Amino acid sequence: MPGDPTAPDMTTQPRPVYVIGAGPGGLAAAAALRARGVRAVVVEKSDGVGASWRRHYDRLRLHTTRRLSALPGLPMPRRFGRWVSRDDVVRYLEKYAEFHELELVTGVEVTRIEPAGPEGEGEGEGGWILHASGGRELAAAAVVVATGFNHTPALPDWPGRDAYEGRLLHAREYRNPQPYAGQDVLVVGVGNTGAEIAVDLVEGGAARVRLAVRTAPHIMRRSTAGWPAQRSGILVRRLPARLVDRLGALVAKASVPDLSAYGLPRPTTGLYSRVKQGSIPVQDVGLIDAVRGGKVEPVAAVEAFDGAEVVLADGSRIAPDTVIAATGYRRALEELVGHLGVLDERGRPCTQGARSPAQAPGLYFTGFSNPISGMFREMAMDAEKIAKAISRRSGAGAS
């Protein structure tokens, strides 16, 4: 508890655990470490917690329930409702850092992590050195990297992109539909972000909204008869993919109409097989009705730009006023830890949670997956496991 006079004095620990990133994953890890008597210092390059959440579009809400999205040691207030808004997520993260009295250093960017072990000792066994902005070098007993799943916008290098005569922006720059009222808008990408932005544009008065689709998505109801899709994701997560694929197909046929006639066919790959490949189902927040009502028009994938026109994969050409690319993000970990051999071919950590890479003991990652059971829930679980692993390794706190 904050202000507990019996709490250990962690400021005397010579080398703290450094947590990089003050988003939900980093704050949760720091709080869990503090609860075990391990000093954790959160380093954040922006000027406050939850920086990426502050930049999301206005209407965004968690697609996971409030109860299943709380971080360790502090429930989300009931007044936030079942589906928590972006602004309330930010409020919660601010309160979380205050409630747990977390050590937070803002305005400092960690650019590279190096092992600090003496010659002949395994990498990381002697701790780590963090190279940070302003020429800082920070000595760490262990490091938790929590820089976020949605870190750096990924904008495809479409031919002719730089000479496009219309407006092109990444979804990260989108806030609300007001600037696009009366416009012809093409949204590229039919993940959760693209689907929700398309609906937002329709409701906000865009004259025409088209949705460029390369691979047909799985679409799920966010909640059916009061049962949230997240709970189903939790129940089936450990089951074989082929079984979940069959179950998912049955549920989809019963609850989601066939949109093939509107240009959005049912996927040919199973739901959980797609999740394993990194593609999360789209939670319906109005897309189905918008497509059936002709308000959102699915079109072929974008292949290139040509002057004021966008060339689609089926050979057709359109000339929207604005193109919003909901084309995802990169983790951007290469400069930070790429030299340590801890990333896979897609630039994602080879390990996550309580497991350190064999070649980098004492280095942990959290928040770099997007599971159907809910990202906040998984980060909360990771935080407890990471704190337990680090406290055992250091001999601090409870086992």
Side-chain angles (χ1 to χ4, degrees), residues 47-115:
D47 59 1
V49 305
S52 64
W53 276 92
R54 296 174 194 274
R55 291 192 296 264
H56 285 313
Y57 49 93
D58 295 348
R59 73 172 280 160
L60 179 65
R61 290 181 175 271
L62 286 178
H63 291 159
T64 54
T65 67
R66 169 181 52 81
R67 286 187 177 182
L68 295 175
S69 300
L71 302 178
L74 185 67
M76 287 188 172
R78 292 188 64 181
R79 67 177 183 277
F80 286 178
R82 194 179 200 195
W83 311 106
V84 182
S85 71
R86 179 203 65 180
D87 289 346
D88 282 338
V89 169
V90 172
R91 292 186 185 99
Y92 174 70
L93 296 179
E94 291 174 338
K95 179 63 178 178
Y96 192 84
E98 177 187 353
F99 179 83
H100 287 291
E101 297 183 332
L102 301 182
E103 284 192 65
L104 181 63
V105 178
T106 60
V108 174
E109 181 178 9
V110 177
T111 55
R112 189 175 177 87
I113 300 173
E114 298 277 8

Side-chain angles (χ1 to χ4, degrees), residues 272-306:
Y272 203 34
S273 294
R274 289 280 294 277
V275 170
K276 294 285 189 181
Q277 297 167 5
S279 179
I280 296 298
V282 171
Q283 302 262 344
D284 179 47
V285 290
L287 180 67
I288 293 172
D289 288 344
V291 169
R292 294 176 80 182
K295 297 177 181 179
V296 171
E297 307 167 49
V299 297
V302 171
E303 288 294 308
F305 290 83
D306 185 9

Side-chain angles (χ1 to χ4, degrees), residues 184-188 210-212 299 302 310 312 318 320 322-325:
D184 181 336
V185 185
L186 172 67
V187 180
V188 183
R210 284 174 282 203
L211 185 59
V299 297
V302 171
V310 180
L312 303 181
I318 60 176
T322 300
V323 177
I324 300 174

Side-chain angles (χ1 to χ4, degrees), residues 69-249:
S69 300
L71 302 178
L74 185 67
M76 287 188 172
R78 292 188 64 181
R79 67 177 183 277
F80 286 178
R82 194 179 200 195
W83 311 106
V84 182
S85 71
R86 179 203 65 180
D87 289 346
D88 282 338
V89 169
V90 172
R91 292 186 185 99
Y92 174 70
L93 296 179
E94 291 174 338
K95 179 63 178 178
Y96 192 84
E98 177 187 353
F99 179 83
H100 287 291
E101 297 183 332
L102 301 182
E103 284 192 65
L104 181 63
V105 178
T106 60
V108 174
E109 181 178 9
V110 177
T111 55
R112 189 175 177 87
I113 300 173
E114 298 277 8
E119 188 175 351
E121 194 171 13
E123 286 199 338
E125 290 291 355
W128 299 90
I129 297 296
L130 279 59
H131 298 273
S133 54
R136 298 174 178 86
E137 290 190 358
L138 311 173
V143 180
V144 181
V145 180
T147 49
F149 189 82
N150 296 336
H151 187 275
T152 301
L155 190 65
D157 189 19
W158 289 299
R161 184 190 76 183
D162 294 340
Y164 176 53
E165 295 174 9
R167 184 184 180 193
L168 170 63
L169 65 147
H170 190 273
R172 188 179 207 172
E173 301 173 62
Y174 179 86
R175 292 294 176 270
N176 59 63
Q178 293 179 2
Y180 314 98
Q183 288 193 10
D184 181 336
V185 185
L186 172 67
V187 180
V188 183
V190 68
N192 278 296
T193 297
E196 192 158 355
I197 288 176
V199 172
D200 200 32
L201 288 164
V202 167
E203 295 176 355
R208 186 174 190 180
V209 179
R210 284 174 282 203
L211 185 59
V213 180
R214 183 170 299 279
T215 305
H218 286 275
I219 302 175
M220 300 175 61
R221 301 288 188 183
R222 186 167 64 175
S223 180
T224 303
W227 179 265
Q230 181 190 10
R231 287 200 178 275
S232 297
I234 293 170
L235 290 175
V236 304
R237 192 178 179 201
R238 304 294 181 188
L239 297 178
R242 291 176 63 183
L243 175 58
V244 180
D245 286 348
R246 293 194 194 106
L247 293 172

